[in-house]
Amino acid sequence: MARPDKAAAVAELTDKFRSSNAAVLTEYRGLTVAQLKTLRRSLGENAQYAVVKNTLTKIAANEAGITLDDQLFAGPTAVAFVTGDPVESAKGLRDFAKDNPNLIIKGGVLDGKALSADEIKKLADLESREVLLSKLAGAFKGKQTQTAQLFQALPSKLVRTVDALRAKQDEQGGAE
């Protein structure tokens, strides 16, 4: 029978997996308490970084419907549970890992899909959601402007064509 404290820990981790947009598993071996504090700050307000027990985390992930590779649970593990923009947190982890090589990004999950460490690094290279949305809006606005110009050009071209035909008919009528 499971101990109540372990059952409560699994329930809490399961809830975090379910309520998070993303979760990134890392190895923190060799980091000081001060470095971990700095890491937590660099992740932003929408991420929670927690040192976890591998067995309990694996059980919680399975209960949340997430299948993760067993290799992710080798060595000391900490998980960044992201409730906001996953790109911002991935950038925070990547940048911190550049300055502190003891932090190793193992892998993670984004919207229920397992990600490798390389995929998380690619996610960190993306621009933020707001920037991507503004670029998309700009592209749509540009297409709307082109469409409006096209629709304005058609009637004016028709008027010029009719005027040219009328002028040609007037020339032919005057020449006879």
Side-chain angles (χ1 to χ4, degrees):
M1 180 168 222
R3 291 188 1 215
D5 58 335
K6 288 187 178 183
V10 168
E12 181 183 349
L13 288 170
T14 302
D15 183 51
K16 286 183 180 181
F17 273 114
R18 287 183 179 148
S19 63
S20 299
N21 298 338
V24 180
L25 281 77
T26 64
E27 183 175 322
Y28 63 94
R29 186 185 337 234
L31 293 177
T32 66
V33 172
Q35 288 172 321
L36 286 173
K37 188 175 181 180
T38 304
L39 172 59
R40 285 184 173 100
R41 276 194 304 253
S42 70
L43 291 177
E45 295 177 10
N46 298 323
Q48 190 177 23
Y49 191 73
V51 174
V52 295
K53 292 189 180 274
N54 290 335
T55 307
L56 301 180
T57 305
K58 188 174 181 181
I59 293 168
N62 286 334
E63 286 184 10
I66 299 168
T67 305
L68 294 171
D69 189 9
D70 289 342
Q71 294 176 348
L72 296 178
F73 297 104
T77 303
V79 181
F81 293 102
V82 182
T83 55
D85 185 10
V87 174
E88 178 185 345
S89 297
K91 284 182 183 187
L93 284 168
R94 178 200 59 196
D95 294 345
F96 186 85
K98 282 181 184 175
D99 297 336
N100 301 281
N102 287 335
L103 180 75
I104 299 168
I105 298 172
K106 296 180 181 182
V109 62
L110 175 64
D111 294 328
K113 181 188 176 283
L115 298 176
S116 68
D118 290 334
E119 289 172 323
I120 291 172
K121 289 174 185 167
K122 287 179 186 175
L123 181 66
D125 292 335
L126 289 176
E127 293 175 339
S128 71
R129 183 177 191 270
E130 290 77 22
V131 171
L132 292 174
L133 287 175
S134 65
K135 285 184 175 184
L136 182 64
F140 281 141
K141 184 177 180 185
K143 291 296 178 190
Q144 287 176 338
T145 303
Q146 288 176 344
T147 304
Q149 290 172 350
L150 175 68
F151 286 137
Q152 286 177 343
L154 290 175
S156 63
K157 186 174 182 179
L158 177 67
V159 169
R160 285 192 304 268
T161 304
V162 169
D163 283 343
L165 283 173
R166 196 175 292 143
K168 188 175 181 179
Q169 285 178 345
D170 288 345
E171 281 179 19
Q172 289 175 352
E176 292 177 14

